[in-house]
């Protein structure tokens, strides 16, 4: 599972996007929701390696990304 220990590492989401994990916030609330409807949830923030728009999603939907051609166990 992805945690705060993975900040700065490459991660991949279920859609295949690869980026750098920027943060994991355990009690994030969506500011776009009405205050009465907000709920705390665990959220991860990732950004493309070369720059670009950051995206957020539950950390359970992220995996550690391996470098292309990397050999497992080395």
């Amino acid at each position: 599972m992805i945690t705060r220990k993975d900040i700065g590492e490459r991660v991949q989401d279920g859609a295949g996007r690869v980026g750098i994990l920027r943060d994991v916030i355990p009690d994030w609330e969506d500011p776009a929701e009405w205050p009465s409807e907000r709920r705390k949830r665990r959220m991860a923030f990732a950004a493309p390696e070369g720059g670009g728009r950051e995206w957020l999603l539950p950390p359970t939907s992220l995996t550690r990304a391996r470098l292309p051609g990397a050999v497992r166990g080395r």
Side-chain angles (χ1 to χ4, degrees), residues 58-73:
T60 55
S61 61
L62 288 171
T63 58
R64 290 173 188 89
R66 292 182 20 202
L67 293 172
V71 178
R72 182 179 262 179

Side-chain angles (χ1 to χ4, degrees), residues 7-11 18-23 45-49 55:
I7 291 174
E9 299 294 328
R10 295 180 66 197
V11 292
V18 175
I20 303 298
L21 183 66
R22 297 293 185 212
D23 203 356
F45 293 78
E49 289 183 85
W55 72 95

Side-chain angles (χ1 to χ4, degrees), residues 3-45:
T3 67
R4 291 187 64 96
K5 293 178 184 177
D6 296 300
I7 291 174
E9 299 294 328
R10 295 180 66 197
V11 292
Q12 183 172 3
D13 69 12
R17 293 181 294 186
V18 175
I20 303 298
L21 183 66
R22 297 293 185 212
D23 203 356
V24 177
I25 300 176
D27 58 352
W28 182 81
E29 294 180 16
D30 188 346
E33 294 176 341
W34 288 99
S36 62
E37 296 183 13
R38 290 181 187 164
R39 63 182 180 90
K40 294 179 189 305
R41 56 190 143 209
R42 191 169 175 81
M43 196 62 63
F45 293 78

